[in-house]
């Protein structure tokens, strides 16, 4: 604590010395030279010491007070819900929607999905449903850590503008499914379902 008080006093003296410096606009270099004398190596060492002490106190205050682990009854295994999971039977892939003057592009992350299972439905020209199945890995029996989702997926997206099912295209590359829809309304188009072949 004594070091901290001494450091603070020395910094206060340096601050007072700086405030007393005279500045002559015709000869600014003289003031810079005086500042160099006040802000010497000792000044910067004091700043460093103060910074280290503050960091140590902050770290000590921020350290969590973790109680010791007690042995108790075994907890029943809970089934974890993965990110984007709709329910126990379906998960919802992460998706982006892009819009240009001519079209709307929907992009879904679907690494390893069964291309023959893809079904796309356009309802009321503003709702897009994408569903299918993500295939399980061939190495499933050897897995030691599991983070990816497998099985049926389903995603219903509200589109920003009305689109037409005419000219709709789907493309799958590098784990991304992209669906291209032309903007505009078509008369009497309520619901259209496609089995996309990729």
């Amino acid at each position: 604590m004594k070091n901290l008080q001494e450091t603070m006093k020395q910094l206060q003296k340096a601050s007072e010395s700086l405030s007393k410096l005279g500045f002559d606009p015709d000869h600014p270099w003289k003031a810079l030279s005086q500042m160099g004398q006040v802000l010497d190596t000792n000044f910067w060492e004091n700043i460093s010491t103060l910074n280290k002490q503050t960091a140590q106190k902050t770290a000590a205050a921020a350290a969590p007070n973790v109680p010791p682990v007690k042995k108790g009854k075994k907890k029943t295994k809970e089934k974890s819900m993965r990110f984007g999971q709709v329910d126990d039977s379906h998960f919802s892939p992460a998706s982006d929607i892009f819009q240009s003057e001519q079209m709307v592009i929907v992009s879904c992350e679907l690494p390893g999905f069964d291309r023959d299972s893809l079904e796309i439905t356009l309802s009321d020209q503003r709702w897009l449903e994408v569903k299918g199945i993500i295939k399980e890995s061939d190495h499933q029996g050897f897995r030691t850590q599991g983070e990816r989702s497998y099985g049926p997926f389903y995603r219903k997206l509200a589109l920003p503008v009305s689109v037409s099912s005419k000219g709709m295209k789907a493309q799958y590359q590098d784990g991304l499914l992209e669906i291209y829809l032309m903007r505009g309304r078509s008369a009497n188009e309520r619901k259209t379902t496609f089995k996309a072949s990729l």
Side-chain angles (χ1 to χ4, degrees):
M1 190 64 161
K2 188 176 180 184
N3 279 347
L4 179 61
Q5 290 174 343
E6 288 176 18
T7 302
M8 291 300 290
K9 283 181 185 177
Q10 290 173 353
L11 291 174
Q12 188 174 8
K13 284 180 186 177
S15 178
E16 289 171 3
S17 298
L18 286 173
S19 67
K20 293 178 184 175
L21 288 180
F23 180 72
D24 182 5
D26 295 329
H27 304 288
W29 300 114
K30 184 178 180 185
L32 284 174
S33 174
Q34 292 172 345
M35 282 177 60
Q37 292 170 358
V38 173
L39 303 176
D40 61 358
T41 306
N42 190 32
F43 171 83
W44 293 111
E45 286 174 358
N46 288 334
I47 290 287
S48 177
T49 301
L50 187 62
N51 189 27
K52 285 178 187 174
Q53 290 176 352
T54 304
Q56 288 171 351
K57 285 185 179 181
T58 304
N65 186 8
V66 180
V69 177
K70 295 179 182 176
K71 285 190 174 183
K73 294 181 182 176
K74 267 191 171 180
K75 290 185 178 180
T76 57
K77 188 174 180 180
E78 297 175 7
K79 188 170 184 179
S80 63
M81 294 287 275
R82 294 197 176 130
F83 176 77
Q85 194 163 350
V86 176
D87 57 32
D88 284 345
S89 61
H90 292 84
F91 78 94
S92 180
S95 302
D96 292 327
I97 299 176
F98 305 94
Q99 175 182 336
S100 71
E101 290 180 20
Q102 294 86 21
M103 67 176 48
V104 172
I105 302 168
V106 177
S107 178
C108 300
E109 285 183 3
L110 291 169
F113 89 100
D114 180 4
R115 294 175 187 223
D116 295 332
S117 72
L118 181 63
E119 187 175 300
I120 301 170
T121 303
L122 178 64
S123 303
D124 299 323
Q125 298 176 318
R126 292 292 297 264
W127 292 94
L128 188 71
E129 295 176 57
V130 181
K131 59 183 169 179
I133 298 172
I134 298 280
K135 296 183 286 188
E136 287 196 34
S137 170
D138 295 336
H139 311 291
Q140 194 68 15
F142 304 105
R143 182 170 60 185
T144 59
Q145 176 178 333
E147 295 181 0
R148 293 184 52 214
S149 296
Y150 300 101
F153 65 86
Y154 173 81
R155 184 69 192 259
K156 185 171 185 176
L157 299 156
L159 301 176
V161 294
S162 294
V163 296
S164 172
S165 63
K166 291 187 172 104
M168 183 182 83
K169 292 190 302 184
Q171 173 182 317
Y172 181 72
Q173 184 177 354
D174 298 330
L176 287 177
L177 171 67
E178 291 186 339
I179 304 164
Y180 299 86
L181 301 149
M182 299 305 293
R183 290 179 62 166
R185 286 197 162 274
S186 295
N188 300 328
E189 191 174 350
R190 298 280 300 150
K191 187 171 185 177
T192 310
T193 300
F194 300 91
K195 287 291 276 183
S197 57
L198 300 172

